[in-house]
Amino acid sequence: MSFLLYWNSGANNKHRHSNLRQASSPCASLSLFSSLFSRAFSGQIRYSIPEELEHGAFVGNIAEDLGLDLDKLSARRFRIVSGTKKQYVEVNLENGVLFVNERIDREELCEQSLSCSFHLQVVIENPLELYRVEMDILDVNDNSPNFPWTEFNLDISESSAPGSRFPLESAQDLDVGSNSLRTYLLSVNEHFFLDIQTRSDGSKFAELVLQNPLDREQQSAHQMVLTAVDGGAPERSGTVQIDITVLDANDNAPVFDQSFYRVRLAENAPKGTVVIKLNASDLDEGSNADITYSFSGHAPIKVRQLFSVDSETGEIKVKGVIDYEKTRMHEIYVQAKDKGPSAVAVHCKVLVSVLDKNDNLPEVILTSVSTPVQEDAPPGTVIAVISVMDKDSGENGNVDCEIPHHVPFQLHSSFKNYYTLVTCDFLDREAVAEYNITLTARDMGSPPLFTRKTILVQVSDVNDNTPNFKQPSYTVYLTENNAPGASICAVTALDPDSGQNAYLSYSVLEGDIHGMPVSTYVSVNSDNGNIYALRSFDHEQLKNFQITVQAQDAGFPPLSSNVTVNIFILDQNDNAPVIVSHVPQNGTAPSETVPRSVDAGYLVTKISAEDADAGQNSRLFYEMLQATDPSLFSIALYTGEIRTIRQLVEKDPTRHRLVILVKDNGQPPLSATVSIILSVVDSLPDSPPDLGDLSLSPHHSTNFTLYLIVSLGAVSFTFLVAIIVLVAVRGLKEVFKKSNLNVRMSTGASEVNSNGALPQVYCYKMCLTPESSKSDFMFLKPCSPVMSVQQNNAKSTDYLTSGWSALDHNELSNKRAATPNEVMYCKMPLQERAAPNYSWTNKSTQPHPETPDYQHNVYIPGTTTGYSTLKLAPRGELDVYNTFSTFGKKKKFISNYEHSFDKDGSHISNSIFK
């Protein structure tokens, strides 16, 4: 055995260079680099081994011959790709030995070809190296020459002249070269000898030559043994017995037109096709001139299987399948013999050249190298090694391979008929998870034949995509008093990767909420993103908070993204109103004193309550549940101010017990009650004003002393002016009576039914602060005109009094330089023109319903509207709303009754002034 190691020839390199110059794809530059890479690191090695070796027979140490490291053969995926259908040799990866894997029969593999070889492709990865291995199969003398028959009959006329030749049946030896048929031997006799000749293919055949004339009368039959001997060591032989019958003379033998014919026959010619028509003539007459044709003894068995000879016409026809790839030329030996007695056969040779047809499809053999391929594989990564072959010859056997141009792959030619499939661009599994690459192998025949093979290349995922939440942020509205452990929302993220790289786990990032870890407030299901409340939330303590949820995949390294979840705690009506003023002390109801001389609308006190809820749940309404005398006191629905409805009289009780209900606007509403004792006194005790609260109020000026002096002076001046005004008013009323004028006061303006001037109406309203129980100061402010006419005696004396109302603390605070003793007043001059038949008419307006304050226009998620439980007080009930939000916008009920009199002093009607 021997081997030969050499690198690729320049011709092959030149062939690849021509392919590179024709490349037009975007990866042409990469193709050039890869081709040069293959030239630098690929080579060819040749081994010669005899046929018929047993399994495991040593061929060579291919690892040492290629200079490879034995320890890295397995790691580099060393393997052999055979160009044949059988894997005749294999490699032991432990020692690098190339050994026979399957018995090789040279005659089966290459038939009668003088040279017999097959090639292998050695593939090594990391880095990729390709080697071509040629295996020459040497012939051994394992076949003996063999004759088609054990006996051969030959008829020879006794008139045959010495030198006449008679072809003998040829022996067949399947071996080639020196082991093939070398010569023929003839047993000793006195009439014949052998003439051994050589065919064009180098094979031997023998002719029997008549040496001495025959005499049928002396000896009518002769027997001899023909021995065929090959050239092997030791030599092998085969024998056949020749039986010669001496015939009576037939003077003329047939003669062919030519002794040698040359014809061409197309491959795959249909059966029955006439190859040639032979013609032989005989000068004899009758049966001696009637010629028959047949194969001579030199015709091999294979020829007899492919062709037939018509015995009458001499036509040679196709009988079997003519395959150029098996035999490119056939030699046909034909004999012609007349039918006369002692007929002598004559012979000719027909040489048939087979013309190749493009009748074989290219064969594609695929060896996967790296599939699936990672999506981050760099350009130039080898995906597969491909070998193509075509049994045709010439242009019919030249094969070109191509793949579509729209895929990120390219074919590189490494050896003749060997290609590597490599990447020429970066892959993206999220865009294309797999490629079905159609490989087309097309020969150069006319018409060309092609074979298509689909290569499935799967792209494996790498963790190159971060999770992506479906929303940029999440907002959750959660009603307070939730059950711990309840699911409040779910966040969802998607990851376009696959497998572990797309498996997401959710977590809440660490943080503090009011000094407590966020993990004590909420938790998240790591598998599905459901967020759970770990405690029951209280809107009054925590109105909203924010958490950050992270979605992280299971790739390596892991990728993550965050999303913000805003959680708003919605209020529930879970807090009842709390009375913050007039709180019972030691079980005793709080008490207030009321002067007996107060008028209607006098601010007795104010009930203050608070509600820890928010929105409509914290809006409070005040109702009078019980009262000793319901007609004497009323409470404002929204402010909780308790005022007198009328003046107190002697028969009224001196002690009154009021039960006040405070309820919120929730659903259902919650409430609280408070009892208050009101004591009626003749006069309030003189006590120094408690200015402590005022001095502490941020709304008062620090120069309180100066304001106090100014206020005392203003009060004194006001009282003086008030006395003058009262006198003037009383005088005017006397004038109206004498003028027979019927005067009626209205809310808006007064009209005069004459051409006289319209009097301008001014009103006086004296107000008390909510702290009136602690101060003797009285305050005046403008108010809606209210007239209270009382009939105190039989003379129907009319009095014009001013209505009183209290200033809310906030309202007072918003006045410019308001002081406890500030007096605000206005004049009501009455102008009249003396004229007869003046008459005044009343144009009263209907009372306007109370306009709810600004809280009615506020909507808070999860609460009811402001009108859900709102109950307006009856029209006849005193409803005073002095708050900062209603200052200057509302008209207040001051008195329930107005006494109207006609001009003669009799009572006409009661009407409500607004």
Side-chain angles (χ1 to χ4, degrees), residues 747-883:
T747 303
S750 300
E751 295 183 358
V752 179
N753 291 336
S754 66
N755 294 327
L758 179 65
Q760 297 180 356
V761 179
Y762 293 85
C763 68
Y764 296 86
K765 184 174 183 181
M766 185 170 289
C767 305
L768 295 176
T769 68
E771 303 297 328
S772 60
S773 62
K774 300 180 181 179
S775 175
D776 292 333
F777 293 113
M778 305 291 288
F779 297 88
L780 295 175
K781 75 171 185 178
C783 65
S784 299
V786 177
M787 292 186 180
S788 177
V789 180
Q790 298 180 352
Q791 187 174 4
N792 295 329
N793 51 43
K795 296 181 180 181
S796 303
T797 303
D798 296 336
Y799 297 94
L800 179 63
T801 63
S802 298
W804 296 85
S805 65
L807 279 175
D808 186 273
H809 179 71
N810 292 332
E811 187 176 298
L812 179 61
S813 300
N814 283 277
K815 292 185 177 295
R816 178 183 60 82
T819 61
N821 57 353
E822 181 179 359
V823 179
M824 303 175 65
Y825 68 93
C826 59
K827 292 173 116 184
M828 186 180 70
L830 298 177
Q831 301 178 2
E832 67 172 6
R833 297 177 60 182
N837 300 326
Y838 278 6
S839 65
W840 296 79
T841 59
N842 175 34
K843 293 189 70 177
S844 62
T845 60
Q846 296 297 324
H848 296 283
E850 277 301 324
T851 304
D853 63 8
Y854 68 96
Q855 295 182 3
H856 283 276
N857 297 326
V858 179
Y859 171 73
I860 299 176
T863 64
T864 58
T865 62
Y867 299 96
S868 61
T869 60
L870 178 61
K871 282 183 61 179
L872 294 178
R875 183 173 297 181
E877 182 178 344
L878 178 61
D879 197 3
V880 180
Y881 314 108
N882 280 341
T883 65

Side-chain angles (χ1 to χ4, degrees), residues 718-729:
T718 302
F719 282 145
L720 180 59
V721 173
I723 294 173
I724 297 174
V725 172
L726 288 175
V727 173
V729 171

